[in-house]
Amino acid sequence: KNEVEQSPQNLTAQEGEFITINCSYSVGISALHWLQQHPGGGIVSLFMLSSGKKKHGRLIATINIQEKHSSLHITASHPRDSAVYICAVRGVSNYQLIWGAGTKLIIKP
Amino acid sequence: EAGVVQSPRYKIIEKKQPVAFWCNPISGHNTLYWYRQNLGQGPELLIRYENEEAVDDSQLPKDRFSAERLKGVDSTLKIQPAELGDSAVYLCASSLFPGGNTEAFFGQGTRLTVV
C-alpha cells in the first residue's frame, strides 16, 4: 500500500463545476503539499499545509490531521485548470517528500 | 525573481552517451533537490544538498549518476553512460531550509529521451 493515496486518479468535468481531489496518507507528517503540474511543464506549489484550511483564489485546501486526510477544491473550474494535481507529504523524521501518484484533471469547455 | 532555472528543457541522446543537466536554485536557498519523474508517476528523490554537501544520495544510482553543487549554489546532474530506462523528466527544486514547513520551489524540468 502506498503511503500517500490520491483519488480519483482521473477526473473529467465541465467548466464551472466544483472539483474535489482527495489525499490520504498513512505516515506521520510535518507538512502536506498540493502541487500542480501542466503537461511538459514543471511543478508549481499550490499550498503547504500543516493544519486547517488555506484559500487562494478559486483554490481551497483543507487538512484533517487526525484522519490523515486532505482535500483540494477548485470552485468555478475552468479549462486552464486542466493539469495533474499532486499531493505530497513531508515526514517528521526526514525531509524527503513522499508523493502521491497524482490526479489528472480535465475541464471541458 | 526568476525562480528555479533548469537547462536544457529537452534533451534527446543515444544510449551509452553522457548527458548533463544544470540547475540554478532561487537565490539564498540552501537546500537543493534533484528528482526523477517517470511518466505517470510522482517524482522520486535522487539527491538532496544542504549548501554544497550531499546529505541524502541514497537513491542515486551511483554507478552511472553523479551530481555536484560547487560553492553551494548551482548544481549539475550527470548520467554516464545513459540507458534507455533513464528516459524521464529530471526536476530540480530548492528551499530555504530542509524542514517540513519550508516550501519547495520547482524548476520546469529537463525531459530526457534516450533512444
Side-chain angles (χ1 to χ4, degrees):
Chain A
K1 191 179 189 307
N2 293 331
E3 292 169 304
V4 180
E5 297 272 2
Q6 279 186 244
S7 64
Q9 199 171 1
N10 294 282
L11 178 58
T12 300
Q14 290 296 131
E15 183 174 356
E17 286 189 39
F18 181 81
I19 303 298
T20 296
I21 299 171
N22 295 300
C23 175
S24 296
Y25 53 92
S26 58
V27 296
I29 69 169
S30 57
L32 182 144
H33 299 253
W34 280 103
L35 308 111
Q36 180 191 57
Q37 187 173 33
H38 284 276
I43 294 176
V44 175
S45 179
L46 299 174
F47 295 103
M48 185 176 62
L49 295 163
S50 52
S51 65
K53 175 181 176 179
K54 285 190 176 180
K55 184 176 189 292
H56 182 70
R58 295 180 295 106
L59 301 176
I60 304 165
T62 63
I63 188 168
N64 185 316
I65 298 294
Q66 287 73 32
E67 295 186 3
K68 294 188 175 178
H69 181 270
S70 175
S71 293
L72 176 68
H73 305 286
I74 306 175
T75 62
S77 59
H78 189 278
R80 64 174 175 266
D81 297 326
S82 298
V84 174
Y85 292 84
I86 306 173
C87 169
V89 301
R90 199 181 294 273
V92 294
S93 58
N94 61 52
Y95 301 127
Q96 187 171 148
L97 281 173
I98 306 169
W99 301 77
T103 295
K104 185 174 182 179
L105 174 67
I106 298 174
I107 303 296
K108 294 185 175 181
Chain B
E1 179 69 74
V4 177
V5 179
Q6 288 187 248
S7 67
R9 283 295 310 277
Y10 304 93
K11 189 74 176 178
I12 301 174
I13 61 170
E14 293 183 344
K15 62 181 180 182
K16 300 184 182 180
Q17 294 302 306
V19 65
F21 315 124
W22 175 80
C23 174
N24 179 231
I26 291 175
S27 177
H29 280 195
N30 299 316
T31 306
L32 184 145
Y33 311 79
W34 280 105
Y35 290 89
R36 176 173 59 189
Q37 185 177 24
N38 293 308
L39 190 64
Q41 299 180 21
E44 167 197 15
L45 179 68
L46 294 175
I47 190 168
R48 174 169 66 90
Y49 281 94
E50 294 303 327
N51 299 304
E52 66 273 12
E53 183 182 357
V55 296
D56 183 358
D57 63 355
S58 56
Q59 309 226 51
L60 189 73
K62 297 181 183 64
D63 57 336
R64 297 182 299 108
F65 285 65
S66 64
E68 60 182 11
R69 191 184 185 197
L70 299 176
K71 300 181 181 178
V73 182
D74 294 2
S75 177
T76 56
L77 177 69
K78 298 178 182 178
I79 309 174
Q80 183 171 9
E83 296 178 353
L84 294 176
D86 295 331
S87 296
V89 174
Y90 291 83
L91 290 161
C92 178
S94 71
S95 63
L96 195 56
F97 302 113
N101 286 314
T102 304
E103 191 167 2
F105 295 84
F106 289 82
Q108 289 289 300
T110 296
R111 183 178 296 275
L112 173 67
T113 302
V114 182
V115 298

